[in-house]
Amino acid sequence: MSQRVQMGLAIALGAMFTASNATAQVICVDPGGPRGVSGCDTNEAPLMLNIANNLTKYLKTAGFEVRQTRTSSSSMAESQRIEICQGATATVSIVANSYTSSAANGIEVYHNGKGKAATLGNAIIDSAASNMKMAKRQSQSASNYSMLNTLNTAAMKVYLGFITSCSKDVPAMKDSEGYAKALCRAIATTYGKNAQGCVDSGDLHVEVVSNGTRIPGATVSLVHLSSQQSKKTDSGGTALFKLAVGSYIVSVSAQGYEHGEGRCTVVADKTSICEISIEPSTGTIWGNVISETTGQPPSGHVSLSVTPQTDISFDGVKWRIVSKPGSYTIVATHDQYYSGSTKCNIINGNVQQCDTISLKPKPGKLQGRVKCEGNDFAATIKIKGQADIGYTGGTWTSAELTAGVYTVTAEVSGATPTCTGATVNCQVTPGNTTDCSIDLPKRDIKPGTLEGTVTDATTGQKLAAIVSGNGPQTLSQKCDENTGIFKTDGVAPGDYTLTASLDGYESGASVTCSVEEAQHTTGCDIELQRVGGKICFKVNADEELMPSVVTLFDINKGTGTEVGKDESVKRSACFGGLRGKYKAIATSLTEGAFEEQEVDIEAPKGGSIEYIFEVEKKVFKSHYLQGTVKSSLNEDVIVNATVSVDNLGSQDYDGSEEWRFRTPVGGVHTVKAVPKSPEQYRPGEADCIVDSPCVVVLEPIIPDVDLPAEEDVTKGNATVDVMVYGDSCQSTPRSRHAQGAWWLLLCGGAAAAWGYRRRRLL
C-alpha cells in the first residue's frame, strides 16, 4: 500500500440538484485544503487551484452550473467545503499524491458509490489516460474519507498524480488547462452533456440597434453546441453571454421590428462585442369584399388593385396588405358588379381593419321554358313588378332585374287534362341571365287496380309466383299462397307488361294489361311452364332387381295418355322431359313373376328423382328341362357338349349325369348342343318339353374309307368279304341284288361312332 499525503484536488459528483430548477445539473469543484505541500520545484496549492479554476470555466461552457469551494490559495476548513457542495449533482475533490520514489505515477480515484460516482470514476481515469497519457492506477469505493461519507450525493477524491517525488506525472499536472479539459470531458460524458463544450470560452456582448438606437427588451437567441440560449437585452440594449470559442449565428426579435440575424465570434478569455441591426416592422391592414344586396362575398372572381402598388393577398372573402407605413387605396372589380374601393392607412407595427368594400351588382335577367310532362305548355308568366309574359312555346325572357330572389308563377288558363299551374323562386345573379324553367305538376290522377292469377301450365295448379310489371311505374307483387292471385292497388294508369317468375319454372312468360284511371283491371293471368324433370324407376324384390316393363301415363289432364314404355327394365328405366303428374305401371317381364304395380308420381321441376317399386315375387312349383346328348349312329354313344337354353343360361355336359335347367313355367323350349369335338360332330338342337326326358342327337362327321381290293362275288346271292381296319370295324350287307349290294362299314367304340356307306357292282 503506497503512502499518500492528502494534497490537491478532490472531485465529487452527486445526484441531480433538487433546488428550484429541478433540471439543472450542478458540479461542485473542490481544489483541496490546501496543505501547503511542495516538492520538485512545485507547490500543490496554486497548482490544484489553477486546475480547478480552468475546470470551472470549461464546465460552465459545457452547460453545467458550477460551485467552487476555494478560489484562492488560502486554507479552507473541510466542513465549509462540505457545506458548499452539499446537494450538488456531483462533488469533485482534487488531490495530489506524494511518495519517496519517483517510480510511483498515475491517476487513481476513491468514491462513495452514490449516484453515478462509480461510472464517473472510471470515466475520469479513462479520460486522463487518453488525453494526458497518464497511467491508470485504480477507481474504487472508499469509506475512510470524511467528505465522501458526509455528502449525500455522488462524491469522489481524484489523485491526479505524484508531485513531490518528481514522477513523470509533473509535466501533465502543470498543463492545468489540458488536465481540466480531460476532467470536463469525463464529467460531461457521464451526465449527458456535449463533451465538445469542454473548450476555451469568452464573453460575448450582443448589442441590438435600429437606425443607430439601441433596443432594450429585445430577445437574443443563439445555438450553443446542442442547446439554445436566449436572453433579453438590458436597458442599454445589450445581452451578455459566456460561450465556447467559435462563430455563432445570432437571432434577434423585438416587438415592432423585423426579425434580425447576424454572425458573432467568441475569442478565448476575451469580451467580444457584436452588433445586430434590426429594421422597424411593417404594418398590416385588412378588409372584406361583399355584395351590396346579400351582404355575402360575391360569387365568382374578384380582382383587387392597390395604389401605391404593393403586394396584396385575397382569399375571396378577406384581403390583407403587409407593407410600409402610408396611405393605400384598394379597388375591387367583378364582371357582375360595379367597382368599389376603400382608403386605409398602415401604421408601423400595427394591424388595422379597413372599411368593407361593398359592390353594387349589375342587373340580370330570368329566362326559361314551361313544360308539362316534358313538352312545352301554354301559360302566362307573372313576375312581381314586371309585365306579364305570354308563353306558348320556346323560351321566355324577362326584362332587366336587380340581383335577388324573384317569385315566378306560370298560370294555366282553361281546363287541362294533365297539368296545373305552378310557382317557383328564381335567383337573379348580377350581370347574368339565369334559367328559371318551370315544370308544371300533373293533375291529380286517380290510380287503378290490377289483378290476375298465375297457374301451372301443365297441372293448372295455382302458384305463389312473383309478378313484376313495367309501365308508367314499376310493380312487384307476390301471388297468394293458396289462390295464386295477385292484386296491386294504387297503379298509375297506362299499359303494363307483367312477367311471372318462380323457382322450377321457365322464365319469359308474360302478359300485357292496360290500367284505366280509377278502374279495376282483371284477367291479367299468366301460365308458367315447368322446367322439365327426369324420373327413373327400379323394380326390386328382396334387394333383387326384377326384369320388368315400366309404362308411364300422363294424368295431368284426364285419365292418362301413354307417354313412354321401357319393356326390358333390368337395372332402371328413365323418362326425361316430364312436367306434372304421371301414373307409372310396372309389370313382370317373366309372366307371373310378381303382381302388377302402379304409382302416381310428380316429376321434379328440373333435376331428376328415382322411384323404386318394391314387389313380392311369387312362389312357383319347380320345373325342369333335362336330358342327354348322343350320336345319331349309336344311341349308346354319349357326346360331350355345351348345352344352352335361351333365357336360362348354359352348362357343360360330359355324360356323367343329365344336363338340367330350372324354369319357372312349363312348355316347350329349344335346347342347343355344341360338341366339345367339332371335328367329329356337328352342333344340334331339339325342342324339349318341360318335365320330360330330352335327347339331343348330334350327327357325326364321316371320313372316306376304301373297301378291300380282293372280293369274292356270287351272283344271285352276293356276299362281301371285308378287310377290317382296326378292331372296331365290321361290315354288314344291307341288301342283296342281282346287280349289286350295299354295305355299311361301322367303326368306333363306346365313346364315338361313325359310318360309311358304299355301293359295289357285282
Side-chain angles (χ1 to χ4, degrees):
M1 186 72 173
S2 64
Q3 182 180 5
R4 297 182 178 83
V5 178
Q6 293 187 2
M7 303 172 62
L9 302 173
I11 299 177
L13 296 173
M16 295 293 291
F17 183 59
T18 56
S20 58
N21 184 0
T23 61
Q25 290 179 306
V26 181
I27 307 299
C28 188
V29 177
D30 175 36
R35 301 191 311 160
V37 178
S38 299
C40 198
D41 299 326
T42 303
N43 188 291
E44 173 190 353
L47 179 59
M48 298 298 104
L49 180 60
N50 199 20
I51 294 175
N53 289 338
N54 282 299
L55 177 58
T56 296
K57 177 179 67 172
Y58 295 138
L59 287 174
K60 288 181 178 180
T61 306
F64 289 99
E65 290 186 16
V66 182
R67 303 176 194 171
Q68 186 171 327
T69 59
R70 182 169 62 90
T71 58
S72 68
S73 296
S74 59
S75 178
M76 178 179 284
E78 186 175 52
S79 60
Q80 290 180 285
R81 291 154 43 211
I82 292 173
E83 184 178 355
I84 293 173
C85 292
Q86 192 67 265
T89 303
T91 301
V92 179
S93 186
I94 303 175
V95 182
N97 278 328
S98 65
Y99 195 58
T100 57
S101 172
S102 62
N105 66 88
I107 182 171
E108 59 186 345
V109 177
Y110 293 91
H111 59 79
N112 64 0
K114 298 177 183 179
K116 294 185 178 181
T119 302
L120 180 57
N122 291 327
I124 288 174
I125 288 179
D126 291 341
S127 181
S130 174
N131 294 281
M132 305 306 296
K133 309 303 180 185
M134 298 289 288
K136 295 182 182 180
R137 293 180 66 82
Q138 59 186 351
S139 174
Q140 63 182 13
S141 177
S143 60
N144 57 343
Y145 294 100
S146 175
M147 189 171 196
L148 301 187
N149 293 333
T150 304
L151 290 172
N152 56 13
T153 56
M156 60 188 62
K157 285 183 176 291
V158 180
Y159 289 88
L160 299 182
F162 291 81
I163 299 176
T164 57
S165 58
C166 291
S167 71
K168 62 180 182 180
D169 298 336
V170 174
M173 298 176 70
K174 287 184 176 181
D175 182 7
S176 61
E177 291 185 351
Y179 220 134
K181 289 179 181 178
L183 295 175
C184 178
R185 293 189 187 100
I187 296 170
T189 301
T190 301
Y191 287 94
K193 294 291 186 180
N194 191 337
Q196 294 179 358
C198 299
V199 296
D200 293 323
S201 62
D203 293 326
L204 176 64
H205 292 188
V206 179
E207 297 179 350
V208 180
V209 297
S210 178
N211 298 325
T213 302
R214 293 187 179 184
I215 308 300
T219 299
V220 179
S221 301
L222 53 82
V223 175
H224 171 57
L225 300 176
S226 61
S227 62
Q228 179 174 319
Q229 297 188 47
S230 295
K231 289 186 178 181
K232 295 282 189 180
T233 56
D234 56 20
S235 59
T238 301
L240 308 179
F241 296 90
K242 189 169 189 65
L243 302 169
V245 172
S247 180
Y248 294 84
I249 294 177
V250 181
S251 175
V252 177
S253 61
Q255 185 174 5
Y257 294 88
E258 299 293 335
H259 175 79
E261 191 174 275
R263 183 177 293 274
C264 299
T265 301
V266 177
V267 180
D269 299 323
K270 290 186 179 181
T271 299
S272 301
I273 298 176
C274 183
E275 184 180 282
I276 304 295
S277 180
I278 57 177
E279 295 292 332
S281 62
T282 58
T284 300
I285 55 175
W286 64 274
N288 296 320
V289 179
I290 64 172
S291 168
E292 182 182 280
T293 55
T294 65
Q296 299 298 318
S299 60
H301 179 66
V302 176
S303 297
L304 297 178
S305 61
V306 184
T307 305
Q309 186 174 352
T310 188
D311 292 336
I312 183 170
S313 62
F314 182 58
D315 60 8
V317 178
K318 180 186 293 184
W319 58 266
R320 183 183 183 89
I321 297 174
V322 179
S323 190
K324 296 178 180 180
S327 178
Y328 294 85
T329 300
I330 299 93
V331 178
T333 58
H334 190 294
D335 290 343
Q336 300 172 5
Y337 292 81
Y338 298 108
S339 298
S341 64
T342 186
K343 280 188 177 183
C344 203
N345 294 326
I346 292 180
I347 301 174
N348 178 30
N350 285 353
V351 178
Q352 181 178 342
Q353 181 178 359
C354 301
D355 292 338
T356 298
I357 301 175
S358 181
L359 300 182
K360 181 178 180 180
K362 296 177 181 178
K365 293 182 179 181
L366 295 177
Q367 69 175 23
R369 306 180 74 171
V370 179
K371 292 188 175 182
C372 174
E373 292 189 321
N375 299 314
D376 288 346
F377 198 81
T380 300
I381 306 300
K382 293 181 176 292
I383 303 174
K384 187 176 181 180
Q386 303 291 315
D388 292 347
I389 302 171
Y391 177 80
T392 58
T395 301
W396 60 266
T397 302
S398 71
E400 287 189 344
L401 303 170
T402 58
V405 178
Y406 290 81
T407 299
V408 181
T409 300
E411 290 185 353
V412 177
S413 59
T416 173
T418 308
C419 294
T420 61
T423 298
V424 296
N425 292 324
C426 295
Q427 175 79 48
V428 174
T429 58
N432 288 336
T433 298
T434 305
D435 181 73
C436 188
S437 295
I438 302 175
D439 288 326
L440 300 179
K442 295 198 305 181
R443 182 174 58 85
D444 185 16
I445 299 175
K446 296 180 180 180
T449 300
L450 189 149
E451 182 179 337
T453 304
V454 179
T455 58
D456 187 312
T458 302
T459 65
Q461 176 186 354
K462 308 304 182 184
L463 302 176
I466 300 295
V467 177
S468 301
N470 290 323
Q473 69 186 75
T474 300
L475 306 177
S476 181
Q477 179 80 46
K478 183 177 181 181
C479 298
D480 184 86
E481 295 282 348
N482 299 316
T483 65
I485 296 174
F486 64 91
K487 181 180 178 182
T488 304
D489 297 322
V491 180
D495 292 335
Y496 291 84
T497 299
L498 304 178
T499 303
S501 62
L502 184 63
D503 289 345
Y505 289 85
E506 295 178 355
S507 59
S510 63
V511 65
T512 299
C513 287
S514 295
V515 177
E516 300 293 336
E517 184 177 357
Q519 297 298 312
H520 186 167
T521 302
T522 60
C524 300
D525 302 330
I526 303 174
E527 287 188 342
L528 290 181
Q529 186 68 48
R530 292 192 182 200
V531 176
K534 181 179 180 181
I535 307 178
C536 293
F537 296 93
K538 289 183 179 180
V539 181
N540 184 29
D542 296 332
E543 299 184 358
E544 177 186 353
L545 293 175
M546 300 295 292
S548 311
V549 175
V550 174
T551 307
L552 197 66
F553 297 91
D554 185 342
I555 60 173
N556 289 296
K557 298 178 180 178
T559 57
T561 302
E562 183 178 320
V563 296
K565 177 185 288 188
D566 189 322
E567 297 184 350
S568 59
V569 180
K570 299 296 181 61
R571 293 188 177 275
S572 65
C574 294
F575 303 88
L578 304 180
R579 296 178 176 86
K581 298 179 180 179
Y582 295 85
K583 181 184 292 296
I585 299 176
T587 57
S588 176
L589 188 62
T590 302
E591 182 179 356
F594 59 85
E595 295 291 342
E596 181 178 270
Q597 300 285 316
E598 70 176 48
V599 65
D600 289 343
I601 188 169
E602 187 168 354
K605 297 172 183 142
S608 63
I609 59 173
E610 181 181 70
Y611 182 82
I612 299 177
F613 287 99
E614 295 289 349
V615 301
E616 183 177 352
K617 289 195 298 183
K618 292 184 179 180
V619 178
F620 298 97
K621 173 185 176 182
S622 296
H623 298 277
Y624 295 94
L625 286 171
Q626 59 188 24
T628 59
V629 180
K630 296 185 177 182
S631 170
S632 63
L633 296 180
N634 187 346
E635 64 181 10
D636 294 329
V637 176
I638 300 301
V639 180
N640 292 341
T642 298
V643 180
S644 63
V645 180
D646 288 344
N647 299 326
L648 298 180
S650 63
Q651 58 183 267
D652 290 338
Y653 171 75
D654 61 3
S656 60
E657 59 183 17
E658 292 183 329
W659 51 262
R660 184 182 178 89
F661 292 92
R662 183 177 179 178
T663 179
V665 294
V668 178
H669 295 268
T670 299
V671 180
K672 297 179 181 179
V674 178
K676 294 290 188 179
S677 300
E679 73 279 1
Q680 295 181 359
Y681 290 93
R682 295 181 176 86
E685 61 181 38
D687 291 333
C688 299
I689 301 174
V690 175
D691 297 331
S692 297
C694 179
V695 178
V696 181
V697 179
L698 301 185
E699 293 291 336
I701 298 173
I702 302 174
D704 291 336
V705 178
D706 291 334
L707 292 176
E710 298 180 0
E711 56 185 10
D712 294 331
V713 179
T714 302
K715 292 184 178 181
N717 187 17
T719 61
V720 177
D721 291 331
V722 178
M723 184 179 292
V724 177
Y725 296 88
D727 295 337
S728 59
C729 292
Q730 60 182 347
S731 64
T732 302
R734 303 288 281 176
S735 63
R736 294 180 181 275
H737 194 276
Q739 301 298 322
W742 290 94
W743 291 270
L744 180 65
L745 183 63
L746 298 177
C747 297
W754 47 266
Y756 181 83
R757 191 171 66 170
R758 185 173 181 181
R759 184 168 183 252
R760 168 76 69 179
L761 291 176
L762 298 179

